[in-house]
Amino acid sequence: MTEIYIISGFLGAGKTTLIRKLLKEAFYGEKVVLLENDFGEVSVDAALLKSGGIEVKEINSGCICCSLSGDFVKAVKEIHRQYRPDKIIIEPSGVGKLSDVVRACEDPAIQPLAGVKRKITVADAARCKSYLDNFGEFFEDQIENADVIVLSRTEDHPDKTKAAVDLIKGLNPFAAILSNSWDLIGSNEILLPRHDRPEQEAHSHDHVHDQNNGHNHGHDHNSEHGHHDHDHDHDHDHDHDHDHDHSAEEIFDTVTVRTTRKFTNDELKNLIYRLERELTGTVLRAKGILHGTNGYLELQYLPGDLKIRDCDTEGDMLSFIGKDLNRRELIELLKGA
């Protein structure tokens, strides 16, 4: 029986970074298939892969990476038939609902082949409150349906970590909450069944600040430009109304712009600066691979947090997820019109 691990989390929380950690530490040497189910036209995370229905490519330590389009159940059956993997890791879209993925995994056609072993949600300690206020339906679903919640960016925002833990416990009192720096959390601790956890380990936030000392331990969540958080902590009236069941497509916009224009780092920084100040709507997440002056550049953006770094993977696109986005404005911004 193949084990399924679902790694959920709102936009930019750090899902891909956690998956890399699990592949390196916990699943090394096993046959693993990574299934990415991204929202929008293009999966930037799967840019390493060729286009098509299910694209397959060997990546580090024998892991097979698939970008999923089309019928989920059919894809899982096909992967099982073709690879007979030990583990399947599913990375849903940041605006996907964990409950939808779990329900799909419980389909009678999948049940004899594979079962969900662990439901893990990555939550950004600095943005929990903002995401709950503004996108409660999606954020709540990811928290409420998880067995394990791993907080990211706790060492950058020790002042917000305690509040984030309290907020999460309010939504899901049964999940294990891990809030130490990721360098101090072993993968085995993340994957431990709930009933095997010592109580103090399950809620390790009590000693998080002493161990971290406010330092960054080097996993790649940090903006090279510091954090000028625009946390929109307004008191929005959101009655947690589960009668209104929305899909991501109803609430969020996605725009992908392709361009062969070559950018310097400064041009990309200026582009994001303009995007934050001049454009219609709200960009919640942008990620892409673009032509740089000497090779390719990977761009990862959350409000108040921009990372640009050299990249070996070829690409010519930037994908945006947000609310009330204007496609024409974004195209003009990127193409330099």
Side-chain angles (χ1 to χ4, degrees):
M1 172 78 89
T2 298
E3 296 178 348
I4 295 176
Y5 294 82
I6 306 170
I7 314 292
S8 167
F10 207 71
L11 300 165
K15 296 185 293 294
T16 307
T17 306
L18 183 65
I19 287 168
R20 284 198 203 107
K21 179 180 172 72
L22 292 175
L23 286 173
K24 196 169 79 178
E25 295 177 10
F27 300 154
Y28 189 81
E30 298 198 65
K31 192 185 277 188
V32 182
V33 171
L34 170 59
L35 221 58
E36 297 199 345
N37 193 12
D38 222 338
F39 172 67
E41 305 149 52
V42 178
S43 169
V44 173
D45 293 333
L48 303 162
L49 311 175
K50 302 177 190 70
S51 58
I54 300 176
E55 312 96 20
V56 177
K57 183 178 174 67
E58 296 286 341
I59 61 170
N60 55 346
S61 75
C63 171
I64 298 152
C65 195
C66 305
S67 177
L68 181 61
S69 51
D71 180 16
F72 178 85
V73 173
K74 195 167 119 197
V76 172
K77 284 172 67 180
E78 178 61 26
I79 283 163
H80 191 273
R81 186 189 64 75
Q82 197 170 349
Y83 298 106
R84 299 271 189 250
D86 303 310
K87 313 265 193 284
I88 295 175
I89 299 175
I90 300 174
E91 181 183 7
S93 157
V95 291
K97 291 184 178 175
L98 180 49
S99 60
D100 289 344
V101 183
V102 173
R103 198 174 304 119
C105 291
E106 289 168 350
D107 187 281
I110 292 177
Q111 279 188 325
L113 311 174
V116 175
K117 181 78 172 171
R118 199 70 70 244
K119 297 168 292 182
I120 300 165
T121 292
V122 185
D124 181 333
R127 293 182 168 87
C128 284
K129 171 86 168 69
S130 169
Y131 287 158
L132 181 65
D133 286 349
N134 294 290
F135 312 105
E137 183 183 346
F138 297 87
F139 181 77
E140 276 182 53
D141 186 277
Q142 294 176 0
I143 298 296
E144 288 171 352
N145 290 283
D147 313 311
V148 181
I149 294 152
V150 184
L151 283 174
S152 62
R153 298 185 176 85
T154 54
E155 61 271 45
D156 303 333
H157 301 278
D159 53 320
K160 295 188 177 179
T161 300
K162 174 74 170 69
V165 169
D166 290 343
L167 181 151
I168 288 165
K169 283 167 89 169
L171 292 171
N172 184 345
F174 305 107
I177 304 169
L178 303 176
S179 57
N180 278 335
S181 161
W182 289 14
D183 288 357
L184 303 174
I185 302 174
S187 289
N188 55 343
E189 190 179 345
I190 296 166
L191 301 175
L192 204 62
R194 171 71 184 168
H195 52 74
D196 289 350
R197 290 176 187 275
E199 193 52 39
Q200 70 275 18
E201 201 178 283
H203 299 297
S204 57
H205 60 279
D206 296 333
H207 52 274
V208 62
H209 307 320
D210 301 334
Q211 289 185 333
N212 285 342
N213 246 349
H215 295 311
N216 165 39
H217 288 276
H219 56 272
D220 57 6
H221 291 315
N222 284 343
S223 158
E224 42 182 73
H225 316 299
H227 292 267
H228 42 286
D229 275 45
H230 329 315
D231 263 359
H232 308 299
D233 282 347
H234 315 308
D235 289 323
H236 290 289
D237 294 328
H238 63 289
D239 48 351
H240 301 281
D241 190 350
H242 294 286
D243 296 336
H244 299 299
D245 197 21
H246 299 102
S247 68
E249 286 78 9
E250 290 176 82
I251 305 294
F252 301 98
D253 301 319
T254 175
V255 176
T256 296
V257 183
R258 292 187 174 275
T259 176
T260 54
R261 178 180 163 192
K262 289 187 174 171
F263 294 90
T264 64
N265 282 33
D266 284 341
E267 283 172 335
L268 284 177
K269 287 175 201 172
N270 189 49
L271 183 142
I272 294 296
Y273 182 86
R274 285 188 54 205
L275 176 139
E276 289 189 319
R277 281 153 187 78
E278 298 171 17
L279 265 59
T280 308
T282 305
V283 174
L284 296 164
R285 179 88 166 104
K287 55 183 177 178
I289 300 167
L290 297 156
H291 291 268
T293 45
N294 301 305
Y296 291 90
L297 296 171
E298 177 190 353
L299 183 148
Q300 298 277 354
Y301 167 79
L302 291 166
D305 187 345
L306 171 66
K307 288 193 295 282
I308 301 164
R309 56 185 155 223
D310 294 335
C311 172
D312 295 332
T313 306
E314 297 182 3
D316 61 358
M317 62 187 169
L318 192 55
S319 285
F320 303 90
I321 296 177
K323 296 192 77 171
D324 307 317
L325 301 183
N326 182 315
R327 178 181 293 270
R328 184 182 50 78
E329 279 185 354
L330 289 168
I331 290 170
E332 286 175 5
L333 176 74
L334 221 66
K335 300 208 168 169

